[in-house]
Amino acid sequence: MKLKRYHYILIIGSLIILLSIINHIAVLHREAVNKEQQKMAVAKKTEQKKVVPVKEIQYTFREIYDVKTSEKKVALTFDDGPDNRYTPQILDILKDNQVKATFFLVGRQIDKDPSVVKRIFSEGHEIGNHTVNHPNLNKMEVQQISQEVENNNAKIKKLTGYTPVLFRSPYGNASEQVKEVLKDSHLLLINWSVDTRDWKETSPEMILANLKKEIRPGSIVLQHSFGGKKVHNTIAALPEEIKWLKEQGYTLVTVSELIKQENK
């Protein structure tokens, strides 16, 4: 059969369409490969920057208010959390400023917001034990004290794989009986040397003023990441606190990191 002109036109047109489809498929394939390579590169970069969570350290029991050191290092600590409102805001501020802190967590709050506990740990902050129910331990029997301490350690370990080595007693109350329980549990009792008084609904300006007045090398700073509307002031003050401390030449570290600086 002799092909006519329009047959050639149809054949050429079909070839052009086929080549166009093949080219389009090739472009889509290249784009998919490039996206996958970009995702892998980002994942690799993220892995390289991944913060190594605080390691467990075996301590001999003692009570600590601050650390004796000439190094200009201090530890910010946050009590009573976690929650899903204020604690994440504090974590965002710390992350933006590349600062590590120590969070003393309460068991009943851990049960409400376990994902926040995991975030605290994964971002390289230290977690301390602040009991399950935040009671006045001085009014409790030894067995009850032990349950508050051990049960909370178990909650934290279940979520993070990490057993806390630091303990802060609710209200700062710790009788000799409480200290004996902590000794048996291989926990350090961590108090504070700088009270910002954020728990008293202090204004952001006064929180900063209280910090400036009491801070010195080796200080442990008391603040809160849960406890009602007053934590708004803690969040408002925190960026200014960090800015001022850095301007004074201070490095902000976890409590365990601070302890390593003792007598240096």
Side-chain angles (χ1 to χ4, degrees), residues 73-76 193-194 210-221 244-245 248 250:
K73 294 187 177 183
V74 296
L76 296 181
S193 58
V194 177
N210 290 336
L211 176 83
K212 290 180 177 181
K213 181 180 177 181
E214 299 180 14
I215 203 74
R216 63 181 183 274
S219 290
I220 297 174
V221 183
W244 183 83
L245 286 167
Q248 305 310 305
Y250 284 101

Side-chain angles (χ1 to χ4, degrees), residues 93-255:
I93 294 169
L94 296 175
K95 186 175 183 180
D96 289 343
N97 288 277
Q98 298 182 316
V99 166
K100 300 295 178 247
T102 301
F103 289 80
F104 288 94
L105 304 184
V106 173
R108 65 190 180 196
Q109 292 300 121
I110 289 171
D111 292 339
K112 294 177 184 177
D113 296 293
S115 63
V116 182
V117 179
K118 292 179 180 179
R119 180 183 171 188
I120 292 170
F121 186 70
S122 68
E123 293 185 0
H125 302 291
E126 186 165 27
I127 294 177
N129 187 330
H130 200 38
T131 72
V132 175
N133 297 297
H134 203 277
N136 184 344
L137 296 177
N138 289 358
K139 296 181 178 180
M140 303 175 75
E141 299 296 329
V142 171
Q143 185 178 358
Q144 294 173 308
I145 297 169
S146 295
Q147 288 175 344
E148 285 285 338
V149 173
E150 296 301 329
N151 289 351
N152 202 35
N153 262 8
K155 288 177 183 291
I156 294 166
K157 184 171 184 178
K158 182 178 179 181
L159 288 172
T160 66
Y162 169 82
T163 302
V165 292
L166 308 179
F167 180 85
R168 176 167 286 164
S169 196
Y171 315 108
N173 294 336
S175 64
E176 290 304 315
Q177 183 171 255
V178 171
K179 293 175 185 179
E180 284 299 316
V181 170
L182 298 179
K183 184 177 180 180
D184 292 340
S185 299
H186 307 290
L187 289 164
L188 285 184
L189 176 57
I190 306 300
N191 293 304
W192 57 87
S193 58
V194 177
D195 185 354
T196 62
R197 301 181 73 79
D198 68 334
W199 50 271
K200 201 176 180 181
E201 208 162 354
T202 306
S203 69
E205 294 75 18
M206 282 306 300
I207 289 174
L208 181 58
N210 290 336
L211 176 83
K212 290 180 177 181
K213 181 180 177 181
E214 299 180 14
I215 203 74
R216 63 181 183 274
S219 290
I220 297 174
V221 183
L222 172 67
Q223 297 191 99
H224 295 78
S225 66
F226 174 73
K229 292 182 179 180
K230 58 179 175 285
V231 184
H232 275 301
N233 292 342
T234 306
I235 292 168
L238 186 56
E240 292 303 314
E241 290 177 281
I242 294 172
K243 179 183 177 183
W244 183 83
L245 286 167
K246 287 185 174 181
E247 288 174 348
Q248 305 310 305
Y250 284 101
T251 300
L252 288 78
V253 297
T254 65
V255 170

Side-chain angles (χ1 to χ4, degrees), residues 39-51:
K39 285 170 67 177
M40 290 176 66
V42 170
K44 186 176 180 180
K45 190 175 181 181
T46 301
E47 183 65 26
Q48 290 173 343
K49 290 185 175 181
K50 188 176 180 181
V51 176

